């Protein structure tokens, strides 16, 4: 279902933006976006698809806070609870070693992953290696059903392949939800092709780095194929959590529910919906840059984000 739209040549990838040229400089980019949220405060009421539908309507109502050009959106997305009943209903779509049976909600995490179509096997191997290195169990992968026909030629030309990875919680993390979330965070960080995370000791860090170097031997060819655009990763993990998940893309607000078929399934339910509509003032859109939030939504400037990233990177050696 992911190949319904005829693809244009794949030039810059799902991170696509050009290098500095004339008065444009990527380091000076700024943006300001639209955000909205709906939440059910009744803790006794089960998750509802109505919450998801209302959140998507909020997103559509934020269309005035979203940039577009020739039906190409600047980016739109939604964050919601892990739709456990939905994933249980479609367990047969998860490919693993034999039949996959999901454990109870909270006992597994879900990663939402964008893949470069030419490097999907390499990227899968990286993520699976990180899952194993952090002592968790890979359950399987699910291809996210999409309707590529709603995309513009620009968005379709850089469309990633989209899959979800399911990971079971290890027994030694039983009863500690925060520890499991931290572990999923470290899996997401250490499975980035450009870096690894020291999560136990220096000796293990060296081994993980060596494994990644072997897996990523063919990555230099990726950059050679990208032409003049800024190099980017062969995969990007939108979210990796046992609590929340983000569906996003280089879309207009109205395209999000028509592109992601999961979001319109009546079984897909949540207790909250947090939406983001991107409106940049001088930045280029990409699949990665849509809904750039994993724990919260904000309408902010990239220079604020840059300052936060610098502070985190300066203290990275003392974290996790």
């Amino acid at each position: 279902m992911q190949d319904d739209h005829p693809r244009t040549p794949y030039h810059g990838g799902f991170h696509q933006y050009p290098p500095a040229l004339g008065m444009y400089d990527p380091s000076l980019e700024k943006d300001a976006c639209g955000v909205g949220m709906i939440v059910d405060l009744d803790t006794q009421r089960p998750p509802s698809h109505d919450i998801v539908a209302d959140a998507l309507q909020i997103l559509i109502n934020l269309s005035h806070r979203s940039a577009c050009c020739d039906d190409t959106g600047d980016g739109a997305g939604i964050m919601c609870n892990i739709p456990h009943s939905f994933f249980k209903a479609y367990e047969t779509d998860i490919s693993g070693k034999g039949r996959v049976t999901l454990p109870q909600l909270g006992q597994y995490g879900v990663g939402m992953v964008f893949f470069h179509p030419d490097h999907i096997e390499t990227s899968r191997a990286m993520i699976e290696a990180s899952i194993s290195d952090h002592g968790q169990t890979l359950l399987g992968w699910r291809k996210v059903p999409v309707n590529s026909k709603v995309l513009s030629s620009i968005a379709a030309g850089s469309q990633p392949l989209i899959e979800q990875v399911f990971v079971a919680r290890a027994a030694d993390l039983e009863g500690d939800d925060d520890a499991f979330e931290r572990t999923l965070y470290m899996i997401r960080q250490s499975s980035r092709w450009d870096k690894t995370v020291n999560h136990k000791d220096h000796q293990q860090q060296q081994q993980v780095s060596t494994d990644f170097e072997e897996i990523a031997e063919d990555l230099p060819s990726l950059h050679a194929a990208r032409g003049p655009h800024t190099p980017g990763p062969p995969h990007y993990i939108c979210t990796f959590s046992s609590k929340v998940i983000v569906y996003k893309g280089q879309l207009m607000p109205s395209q999000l529910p028509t592109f992601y078929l999961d979001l319109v399934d009546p079984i897909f339910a949540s207790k909250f919906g947090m939406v983001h509509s991107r409106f940049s003032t001088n930045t280029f859109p990409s699949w990665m840059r849509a809904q750039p939030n994993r724990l919260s939504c904000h309408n902010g400037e990239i220079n604020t984000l840059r300052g936060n990233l610098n502070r985190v990177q300066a203290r990275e050696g003392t974290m996790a």
Side-chain angles (χ1 to χ4, degrees), residues 233-271:
H235 64 267
Y236 171 80
I237 302 178
C238 306
T239 44
F240 213 143
S241 173
S242 63
K243 299 178 180 180
V244 297
I245 190 168
V246 164
Y247 284 74
K248 71 175 186 176
Q250 190 176 338
L251 307 164
M252 295 188 297
S254 61
Q255 292 175 329
L256 188 71
T258 56
F259 177 72
Y260 284 111
L261 304 184
D262 288 359
L263 297 177
V264 294
D265 192 305
I267 308 175
F268 192 103
S270 177
K271 292 288 288 183

Side-chain angles (χ1 to χ4, degrees), residues 198-211:
N198 183 357
H199 63 90
K200 287 190 176 178
D201 54 45
H202 182 65
Q203 183 177 2
Q204 186 173 24
Q205 167 69 24
Q206 289 179 319
Q207 181 60 49
V208 171
S209 297
T210 301
D211 292 343

Side-chain angles (χ1 to χ4, degrees), residues 155-184:
S158 58
Q159 178 190 351
L161 298 179
I162 307 170
E163 295 192 9
Q164 291 161 339
V165 58
F166 292 79
V167 178
R169 184 199 293 225
D172 61 346
L173 298 180
E174 188 66 35
D176 194 338
D177 294 345
D178 289 341
F180 187 39
E181 281 294 300
R182 287 194 298 269
T183 300
L184 294 174

Side-chain angles (χ1 to χ4, degrees), residues 22-312:
M23 296 181 67
Y24 169 74
D25 187 332
S27 66
L28 300 178
E29 290 188 336
K30 301 179 185 297
D31 62 359
C33 315
V35 297
M37 186 181 78
I38 182 171
V39 59
D40 184 357
L41 298 178
D42 188 340
T43 58
Q44 303 303 313
R45 192 156 41 209
S48 167
H49 180 69
D50 290 340
I51 292 291
V52 178
D54 288 346
L56 292 172
Q57 186 59 54
I58 292 173
L59 179 64
I60 293 172
N61 292 346
L62 286 169
S63 294
H64 66 289
R65 293 302 304 162
S66 61
C68 64
C69 176
D70 292 333
D71 295 328
T72 302
D74 213 13
I78 181 173
M79 177 167 59
C80 57
N81 293 122
I82 295 291
H84 177 62
S85 297
F86 173 81
F87 286 144
K88 287 289 289 184
Y90 292 97
E91 280 178 333
T92 55
D93 292 344
I94 303 173
S95 60
K97 295 181 179 179
R99 179 179 173 82
V100 175
T101 301
L102 292 178
Q104 294 181 347
L105 178 64
Q107 298 301 308
Y108 67 95
V110 185
M112 187 79 161
V113 188
F114 288 170
F115 288 113
H116 187 293
D118 296 336
H119 294 267
I120 186 168
E121 295 303 325
T122 299
S123 292
R124 273 208 201 109
M126 283 185 175
I127 295 170
E128 291 178 7
S130 181
I131 292 169
S132 177
D133 288 335
H134 286 83
Q136 308 306 298
T137 302
L138 172 70
L139 293 173
W141 293 86
R142 173 181 181 262
K143 293 183 178 180
V144 178
V146 298
N147 177 19
S148 300
K149 294 179 180 179
V150 304
L151 300 179
S152 69
S153 59
I154 295 174
S158 58
Q159 178 190 351
L161 298 179
I162 307 170
E163 295 192 9
Q164 291 161 339
V165 58
F166 292 79
V167 178
R169 184 199 293 225
D172 61 346
L173 298 180
E174 188 66 35
D176 194 338
D177 294 345
D178 289 341
F180 187 39
E181 281 294 300
R182 287 194 298 269
T183 300
L184 294 174
Y185 168 80
M186 289 188 287
I187 291 173
R188 174 170 65 82
Q189 286 293 89
S190 64
S191 58
R192 289 168 53 180
W193 75 275
D194 59 333
K195 64 185 296 185
T196 59
V197 171
N198 183 357
H199 63 90
K200 287 190 176 178
D201 54 45
H202 182 65
Q203 183 177 2
Q204 186 173 24
Q205 167 69 24
Q206 289 179 319
Q207 181 60 49
V208 171
S209 297
T210 301
D211 292 343
F212 279 10
E213 288 170 4
E214 293 175 357
I215 293 172
E217 284 179 352
D218 65 332
L219 289 178
S221 62
L222 169 64
H223 300 303
R226 290 184 179 275
H229 298 281
T230 304
H235 64 267
Y236 171 80
I237 302 178
C238 306
T239 44
F240 213 143
S241 173
S242 63
K243 299 178 180 180
V244 297
I245 190 168
V246 164
Y247 284 74
K248 71 175 186 176
Q250 190 176 338
L251 307 164
M252 295 188 297
S254 61
Q255 292 175 329
L256 188 71
T258 56
F259 177 72
Y260 284 111
L261 304 184
D262 288 359
L263 297 177
V264 294
D265 192 305
I267 308 175
F268 192 103
S270 177
K271 292 288 288 183
F272 82 98
M274 192 177 293
V275 294
H276 184 279
S277 174
R278 190 168 183 269
F279 194 129
S280 62
T281 53
N282 66 337
T283 60
F284 285 84
S286 72
W287 286 81
M288 281 176 57
R289 282 182 163 178
Q291 177 73 10
N293 314 294
R294 295 183 174 99
L295 293 175
S296 64
C297 271
H298 67 90
N299 181 358
E301 297 287 351
I302 285 179
N303 57 343
T304 303
L305 174 61
R306 185 184 303 116
N308 290 337
L309 288 174
N310 289 341
R311 291 182 182 91
V312 170

